[in-house]
Amino acid sequence: MSNQATVLNVQRFTLHDGPGIRTEFFLKGCPLRCDWCGNPESFNRRIEVGVYHNQCISSQHCGTCLDVCPSPNMLTFSDDYLFEVKRDLCSSCMACSDDCPAEAIKQWGSFMTLDECMKTIRKDKGFYQRSGGGVTVSGGEPLLQSNFVLELFRLCKQENIHTCLESSFFANWNRIEKLLPYTDLFISDIKLLDSQRHKARTGVDNRKILNNLRALSKTEKPIILRIPIIPSINDDDENIAATADFIINELNGRVQTLQLLSFMHLGEEKYRSLGLPYKMAALAFDRDNFQLRVNQIADYFNRRGIHCTVGTKDASMENAN
């Protein structure tokens, strides 16, 4: 039994990830490194600090972070402003984040117990009952903490609360299989169908993902699929046609809806806070023409008999932070 998880964010009253009004837990840690991800703070499972040096007031002789840090030599300054944290030395004690008066240091992630999660969930049970909502666990990749998800969903089902898992499905099947009795809905995405292209853009081969989708489609569980449409990366006719063929021929009619999520430039500041490069910074495209292309793709899927919608939510949880 796993009684504790590393949680990045909890969003109440969400309407996007599953039916009705929902409470959504975003768990920290992800094995993928999608070029377009808007949430780099979800990559690592450990608790981290994010540095927003433009908010630093060290030039005004603050120095609070230096006073409270157990190893102040890990803090790097430039022009009297905190520039970065030497993360290989940082113990993630979060003393600097707790005491920073300018909120220039942000804590990414915290530990939550099952009891703490259920206390939050129970506050909203009335909304679930009236709207047909429930609880969604997302990420990052929640299957990295699958034992915790199992226990949380088990508790939810004891109280007749609808459960939904949103996952990349890049995990061993046994992590998914054990959740089947306690999960009412699965949400996943297909980023690129070609395995080599998928690995080049996400860092991992997609064969495990596709095999897991095939296996899930043989159960009675409903599936919502999503495609984050990224201009010049996965919006070409070849990839779209191959994806439609896969859904029609290999997923046994279990896909309730296919949602297209239009790319937006999001998360660049968070990448800087973590000292990471934002790979999509140079991507330039005409927003109106791109949206026309997304609508064309949706029309294509619908003509192929796949119920397809264009989503209003970016393929990230940017608005949840």
mmCIF file of all heavy atoms in Angstrom, residues 262-293:
data_model
loop_
_atom_site.group_PDB
_atom_site.id
_atom_site.type_symbol
_atom_site.label_atom_id
_atom_site.label_comp_id
_atom_site.label_asym_id
_atom_site.label_seq_id
_atom_site.Cartn_x
_atom_site.Cartn_y
_atom_site.Cartn_z
ATOM 1 N N SER A 262 -5.281 22.150 -29.627
ATOM 2 C CA SER A 262 -4.435 23.026 -30.441
ATOM 3 C C SER A 262 -3.246 23.538 -29.636
ATOM 4 O O SER A 262 -3.403 24.027 -28.510
ATOM 5 C CB SER A 262 -5.244 24.208 -30.965
ATOM 6 O OG SER A 262 -6.350 23.774 -31.713
ATOM 7 N N PHE A 263 -2.070 23.450 -30.235
ATOM 8 C CA PHE A 263 -0.844 23.911 -29.574
ATOM 9 C C PHE A 263 -0.892 25.403 -29.293
ATOM 10 O O PHE A 263 -1.376 26.203 -30.098
ATOM 11 C CB PHE A 263 0.373 23.607 -30.456
ATOM 12 C CG PHE A 263 1.642 24.249 -29.971
ATOM 13 C CD1 PHE A 263 2.323 23.708 -28.890
ATOM 14 C CD2 PHE A 263 2.143 25.389 -30.578
ATOM 15 C CE1 PHE A 263 3.490 24.297 -28.426
ATOM 16 C CE2 PHE A 263 3.314 25.978 -30.123
ATOM 17 C CZ PHE A 263 3.987 25.434 -29.046
ATOM 18 N N MET A 264 -0.384 25.766 -28.123
ATOM 19 C CA MET A 264 -0.159 27.161 -27.753
ATOM 20 C C MET A 264 1.215 27.259 -27.108
ATOM 21 O O MET A 264 1.680 26.317 -26.456
ATOM 22 C CB MET A 264 -1.237 27.651 -26.782
ATOM 23 C CG MET A 264 -2.639 27.650 -27.339
ATOM 24 S SD MET A 264 -3.883 28.157 -26.118
ATOM 25 C CE MET A 264 -3.412 29.885 -25.868
ATOM 26 N N HIS A 265 1.871 28.405 -27.303
ATOM 27 C CA HIS A 265 3.153 28.634 -26.634
ATOM 28 C C HIS A 265 2.885 28.899 -25.157
ATOM 29 O O HIS A 265 2.482 29.990 -24.769
ATOM 30 C CB HIS A 265 3.873 29.841 -27.254
ATOM 31 C CG HIS A 265 4.602 29.518 -28.507
ATOM 32 N ND1 HIS A 265 4.212 29.989 -29.733
ATOM 33 C CD2 HIS A 265 5.713 28.760 -28.742
ATOM 34 C CE1 HIS A 265 5.039 29.537 -30.668
ATOM 35 N NE2 HIS A 265 5.951 28.796 -30.095
ATOM 36 N N LEU A 266 3.118 27.897 -24.339
ATOM 37 C CA LEU A 266 2.889 28.014 -22.905
ATOM 38 C C LEU A 266 4.042 27.384 -22.141
ATOM 39 O O LEU A 266 4.659 26.435 -22.607
ATOM 40 C CB LEU A 266 1.588 27.316 -22.496
ATOM 41 C CG LEU A 266 0.275 27.917 -23.007
ATOM 42 C CD1 LEU A 266 -0.888 27.005 -22.657
ATOM 43 C CD2 LEU A 266 0.049 29.298 -22.426
ATOM 44 N N GLY A 267 4.323 27.938 -20.984
ATOM 45 C CA GLY A 267 5.296 27.314 -20.088
ATOM 46 C C GLY A 267 6.717 27.805 -20.206
ATOM 47 O O GLY A 267 7.590 27.327 -19.475
ATOM 48 N N GLU A 268 6.996 28.770 -21.106
ATOM 49 C CA GLU A 268 8.385 29.170 -21.322
ATOM 50 C C GLU A 268 9.010 29.716 -20.037
ATOM 51 O O GLU A 268 10.178 29.433 -19.740
ATOM 52 C CB GLU A 268 8.452 30.216 -22.436
ATOM 53 C CG GLU A 268 9.857 30.538 -22.883
ATOM 54 C CD GLU A 268 9.921 31.291 -24.197
ATOM 55 O OE1 GLU A 268 8.845 31.573 -24.779
ATOM 56 O OE2 GLU A 268 11.035 31.581 -24.652
ATOM 57 N N GLU A 269 8.246 30.483 -19.273
ATOM 58 C CA GLU A 269 8.780 31.033 -18.028
ATOM 59 C C GLU A 269 9.104 29.928 -17.026
ATOM 60 O O GLU A 269 10.082 30.008 -16.272
ATOM 61 C CB GLU A 269 7.788 32.026 -17.434
ATOM 62 C CG GLU A 269 8.342 32.804 -16.250
ATOM 63 C CD GLU A 269 7.378 33.836 -15.715
ATOM 64 O OE1 GLU A 269 6.171 33.717 -15.972
ATOM 65 O OE2 GLU A 269 7.843 34.773 -15.022
ATOM 66 N N LYS A 270 8.292 28.881 -17.022
ATOM 67 C CA LYS A 270 8.551 27.772 -16.106
ATOM 68 C C LYS A 270 9.813 27.018 -16.505
ATOM 69 O O LYS A 270 10.559 26.537 -15.639
ATOM 70 C CB LYS A 270 7.338 26.841 -16.050
ATOM 71 C CG LYS A 270 6.137 27.479 -15.364
ATOM 72 C CD LYS A 270 5.061 26.471 -15.034
ATOM 73 C CE LYS A 270 4.258 26.056 -16.229
ATOM 74 N NZ LYS A 270 3.088 25.221 -15.866
ATOM 75 N N TYR A 271 10.062 26.886 -17.796
ATOM 76 C CA TYR A 271 11.326 26.285 -18.231
ATOM 77 C C TYR A 271 12.512 27.088 -17.700
ATOM 78 O O TYR A 271 13.492 26.526 -17.194
ATOM 79 C CB TYR A 271 11.389 26.208 -19.759
ATOM 80 C CG TYR A 271 10.699 25.014 -20.358
ATOM 81 C CD1 TYR A 271 9.348 25.062 -20.694
ATOM 82 C CD2 TYR A 271 11.390 23.831 -20.604
ATOM 83 C CE1 TYR A 271 8.707 23.963 -21.253
ATOM 84 C CE2 TYR A 271 10.762 22.729 -21.166
ATOM 85 C CZ TYR A 271 9.421 22.799 -21.482
ATOM 86 O OH TYR A 271 8.786 21.712 -22.025
ATOM 87 N N ARG A 272 12.423 28.423 -17.819
ATOM 88 C CA ARG A 272 13.513 29.262 -17.313
ATOM 89 C C ARG A 272 13.675 29.091 -15.809
ATOM 90 O O ARG A 272 14.797 29.084 -15.288
ATOM 91 C CB ARG A 272 13.240 30.728 -17.648
ATOM 92 C CG ARG A 272 13.444 31.088 -19.118
ATOM 93 C CD ARG A 272 13.544 32.590 -19.311
ATOM 94 N NE ARG A 272 12.301 33.259 -18.942
ATOM 95 C CZ ARG A 272 11.302 33.511 -19.779
ATOM 96 N NH1 ARG A 272 11.403 33.136 -21.049
ATOM 97 N NH2 ARG A 272 10.216 34.130 -19.369
ATOM 98 N N SER A 273 12.561 28.943 -15.094
ATOM 99 C CA SER A 273 12.646 28.806 -13.637
ATOM 100 C C SER A 273 13.377 27.540 -13.228
ATOM 101 O O SER A 273 13.910 27.451 -12.122
ATOM 102 C CB SER A 273 11.238 28.829 -13.027
ATOM 103 O OG SER A 273 10.625 27.549 -13.062
ATOM 104 N N LEU A 274 13.395 26.552 -14.114
ATOM 105 C CA LEU A 274 14.044 25.274 -13.834
ATOM 106 C C LEU A 274 15.395 25.135 -14.535
ATOM 107 O O LEU A 274 16.032 24.081 -14.453
ATOM 108 C CB LEU A 274 13.125 24.125 -14.271
ATOM 109 C CG LEU A 274 11.870 23.948 -13.419
ATOM 110 C CD1 LEU A 274 10.830 23.111 -14.157
ATOM 111 C CD2 LEU A 274 12.209 23.304 -12.085
ATOM 112 N N GLY A 275 15.800 26.174 -15.237
ATOM 113 C CA GLY A 275 17.069 26.121 -15.958
ATOM 114 C C GLY A 275 17.058 25.183 -17.138
ATOM 115 O O GLY A 275 18.089 24.621 -17.510
ATOM 116 N N LEU A 276 15.890 25.018 -17.764
ATOM 117 C CA LEU A 276 15.739 24.097 -18.892
ATOM 118 C C LEU A 276 15.460 24.875 -20.176
ATOM 119 O O LEU A 276 14.825 25.932 -20.144
ATOM 120 C CB LEU A 276 14.574 23.130 -18.638
ATOM 121 C CG LEU A 276 14.701 22.196 -17.441
ATOM 122 C CD1 LEU A 276 13.397 21.422 -17.239
ATOM 123 C CD2 LEU A 276 15.867 21.235 -17.621
ATOM 124 N N PRO A 277 15.899 24.350 -21.323
ATOM 125 C CA PRO A 277 15.601 25.015 -22.597
ATOM 126 C C PRO A 277 14.158 24.761 -23.020
ATOM 127 O O PRO A 277 13.620 23.668 -22.801
ATOM 128 C CB PRO A 277 16.581 24.365 -23.571
ATOM 129 C CG PRO A 277 16.814 22.988 -23.001
ATOM 130 C CD PRO A 277 16.756 23.151 -21.507
ATOM 131 N N TYR A 278 13.527 25.767 -23.602
ATOM 132 C CA TYR A 278 12.180 25.620 -24.150
ATOM 133 C C TYR A 278 12.316 25.385 -25.648
ATOM 134 O O TYR A 278 12.644 26.287 -26.409
ATOM 135 C CB TYR A 278 11.350 26.864 -23.867
ATOM 136 C CG TYR A 278 9.939 26.806 -24.414
ATOM 137 C CD1 TYR A 278 9.084 25.770 -24.059
ATOM 138 C CD2 TYR A 278 9.467 27.789 -25.274
ATOM 139 C CE1 TYR A 278 7.785 25.709 -24.556
ATOM 140 C CE2 TYR A 278 8.169 27.745 -25.771
ATOM 141 C CZ TYR A 278 7.339 26.703 -25.402
ATOM 142 O OH TYR A 278 6.061 26.645 -25.893
ATOM 143 N N LYS A 279 12.084 24.164 -26.080
ATOM 144 C CA LYS A 279 12.392 23.764 -27.449
ATOM 145 C C LYS A 279 11.471 24.369 -28.494
ATOM 146 O O LYS A 279 11.788 24.356 -29.676
ATOM 147 C CB LYS A 279 12.365 22.238 -27.549
ATOM 148 C CG LYS A 279 13.441 21.549 -26.730
ATOM 149 C CD LYS A 279 13.414 20.040 -26.908
ATOM 150 C CE LYS A 279 14.502 19.373 -26.102
ATOM 151 N NZ LYS A 279 14.496 17.888 -26.266
ATOM 152 N N MET A 280 10.301 24.869 -28.065
ATOM 153 C CA MET A 280 9.347 25.393 -29.037
ATOM 154 C C MET A 280 9.435 26.899 -29.201
ATOM 155 O O MET A 280 8.612 27.503 -29.891
ATOM 156 C CB MET A 280 7.921 25.009 -28.612
ATOM 157 C CG MET A 280 7.715 23.535 -28.364
ATOM 158 S SD MET A 280 8.140 22.489 -29.774
ATOM 159 C CE MET A 280 6.802 22.873 -30.881
ATOM 160 N N ALA A 281 10.430 27.526 -28.590
ATOM 161 C CA ALA A 281 10.515 28.985 -28.620
ATOM 162 C C ALA A 281 10.605 29.525 -30.040
ATOM 163 O O ALA A 281 10.066 30.605 -30.350
ATOM 164 C CB ALA A 281 11.720 29.453 -27.802
ATOM 165 N N ALA A 282 11.282 28.801 -30.931
ATOM 166 C CA ALA A 282 11.493 29.301 -32.286
ATOM 167 C C ALA A 282 10.369 28.920 -33.246
ATOM 168 O O ALA A 282 10.393 29.320 -34.413
ATOM 169 C CB ALA A 282 12.825 28.777 -32.828
ATOM 170 N N LEU A 283 9.386 28.159 -32.769
ATOM 171 C CA LEU A 283 8.308 27.723 -33.650
ATOM 172 C C LEU A 283 7.379 28.897 -33.944
ATOM 173 O O LEU A 283 6.710 29.422 -33.049
ATOM 174 C CB LEU A 283 7.517 26.580 -33.007
ATOM 175 C CG LEU A 283 6.329 26.064 -33.832
ATOM 176 C CD1 LEU A 283 6.801 25.453 -35.144
ATOM 177 C CD2 LEU A 283 5.519 25.046 -33.024
ATOM 178 N N ALA A 284 7.341 29.289 -35.203
ATOM 179 C CA ALA A 284 6.477 30.391 -35.624
ATOM 180 C C ALA A 284 5.411 29.853 -36.571
ATOM 181 O O ALA A 284 5.700 29.036 -37.452
ATOM 182 C CB ALA A 284 7.302 31.479 -36.313
ATOM 183 N N PHE A 285 4.166 30.285 -36.385
ATOM 184 C CA PHE A 285 3.084 29.839 -37.255
ATOM 185 C C PHE A 285 1.954 30.841 -37.181
ATOM 186 O O PHE A 285 1.845 31.612 -36.219
ATOM 187 C CB PHE A 285 2.603 28.442 -36.845
ATOM 188 C CG PHE A 285 2.059 28.358 -35.441
ATOM 189 C CD1 PHE A 285 0.688 28.415 -35.197
ATOM 190 C CD2 PHE A 285 2.912 28.226 -34.354
ATOM 191 C CE1 PHE A 285 0.193 28.341 -33.909
ATOM 192 C CE2 PHE A 285 2.423 28.143 -33.062
ATOM 193 C CZ PHE A 285 1.058 28.208 -32.840
ATOM 194 N N ASP A 286 1.149 30.844 -38.221
ATOM 195 C CA ASP A 286 -0.006 31.736 -38.267
ATOM 196 C C ASP A 286 -1.153 31.082 -37.499
ATOM 197 O O ASP A 286 -1.628 30.006 -37.876
ATOM 198 C CB ASP A 286 -0.414 32.008 -39.719
ATOM 199 C CG ASP A 286 -1.581 32.958 -39.811
ATOM 200 O OD1 ASP A 286 -2.739 32.482 -39.779
ATOM 201 O OD2 ASP A 286 -1.352 34.178 -39.898
ATOM 202 N N ARG A 287 -1.597 31.716 -36.432
ATOM 203 C CA ARG A 287 -2.598 31.117 -35.556
ATOM 204 C C ARG A 287 -3.895 30.831 -36.290
ATOM 205 O O ARG A 287 -4.501 29.770 -36.122
ATOM 206 C CB ARG A 287 -2.835 32.047 -34.364
ATOM 207 C CG ARG A 287 -4.010 31.669 -33.460
ATOM 208 C CD ARG A 287 -3.897 30.303 -32.829
ATOM 209 N NE ARG A 287 -2.711 30.136 -32.020
ATOM 210 C CZ ARG A 287 -2.391 29.012 -31.400
ATOM 211 N NH1 ARG A 287 -3.158 27.938 -31.531
ATOM 212 N NH2 ARG A 287 -1.291 28.925 -30.681
ATOM 213 N N ASP A 288 -4.352 31.759 -37.137
ATOM 214 C CA ASP A 288 -5.633 31.562 -37.830
ATOM 215 C C ASP A 288 -5.555 30.395 -38.811
ATOM 216 O O ASP A 288 -6.465 29.553 -38.864
ATOM 217 C CB ASP A 288 -6.032 32.848 -38.559
ATOM 218 C CG ASP A 288 -6.416 33.965 -37.596
ATOM 219 O OD1 ASP A 288 -6.785 33.654 -36.452
ATOM 220 O OD2 ASP A 288 -6.330 35.144 -37.992
ATOM 221 N N ASN A 289 -4.471 30.352 -39.593
ATOM 222 C CA ASN A 289 -4.324 29.251 -40.546
ATOM 223 C C ASN A 289 -4.165 27.913 -39.831
ATOM 224 O O ASN A 289 -4.683 26.884 -40.292
ATOM 225 C CB ASN A 289 -3.116 29.500 -41.453
ATOM 226 C CG ASN A 289 -3.371 30.587 -42.470
ATOM 227 O OD1 ASN A 289 -4.526 30.877 -42.820
ATOM 228 N ND2 ASN A 289 -2.316 31.217 -42.957
ATOM 229 N N PHE A 290 -3.460 27.926 -38.708
ATOM 230 C CA PHE A 290 -3.286 26.694 -37.939
ATOM 231 C C PHE A 290 -4.621 26.200 -37.407
ATOM 232 O O PHE A 290 -4.922 24.997 -37.477
ATOM 233 C CB PHE A 290 -2.303 26.931 -36.793
ATOM 234 C CG PHE A 290 -2.183 25.778 -35.834
ATOM 235 C CD1 PHE A 290 -1.786 24.520 -36.273
ATOM 236 C CD2 PHE A 290 -2.479 25.939 -34.492
ATOM 237 C CE1 PHE A 290 -1.679 23.450 -35.390
ATOM 238 C CE2 PHE A 290 -2.374 24.888 -33.606
ATOM 239 C CZ PHE A 290 -1.971 23.644 -34.054
ATOM 240 N N GLN A 291 -5.454 27.116 -36.924
ATOM 241 C CA GLN A 291 -6.736 26.685 -36.400
ATOM 242 C C GLN A 291 -7.628 26.131 -37.509
ATOM 243 O O GLN A 291 -8.395 25.184 -37.288
ATOM 244 C CB GLN A 291 -7.443 27.828 -35.677
ATOM 245 C CG GLN A 291 -8.521 27.355 -34.715
ATOM 246 C CD GLN A 291 -7.983 26.377 -33.670
ATOM 247 O OE1 GLN A 291 -6.975 26.639 -33.009
ATOM 248 N NE2 GLN A 291 -8.660 25.244 -33.515
ATOM 249 N N LEU A 292 -7.514 26.704 -38.709
ATOM 250 C CA LEU A 292 -8.235 26.141 -39.853
ATOM 251 C C LEU A 292 -7.773 24.710 -40.123
ATOM 252 O O LEU A 292 -8.590 23.828 -40.418
ATOM 253 C CB LEU A 292 -8.022 27.008 -41.092
ATOM 254 C CG LEU A 292 -8.761 28.339 -41.142
ATOM 255 C CD1 LEU A 292 -8.311 29.146 -42.370
ATOM 256 C CD2 LEU A 292 -10.272 28.124 -41.192
ATOM 257 N N ARG A 293 -6.454 24.494 -39.998
ATOM 258 C CA ARG A 293 -5.916 23.150 -40.218
ATOM 259 C C ARG A 293 -6.438 22.180 -39.163
ATOM 260 O O ARG A 293 -6.814 21.042 -39.478
ATOM 261 C CB ARG A 293 -4.379 23.200 -40.178
ATOM 262 C CG ARG A 293 -3.700 21.829 -40.265
ATOM 263 C CD ARG A 293 -4.090 21.076 -41.507
ATOM 264 N NE ARG A 293 -3.413 19.778 -41.584
ATOM 265 C CZ ARG A 293 -3.854 18.752 -42.302
ATOM 266 N NH1 ARG A 293 -4.972 18.869 -43.012
ATOM 267 N NH2 ARG A 293 -3.181 17.634 -42.326
#
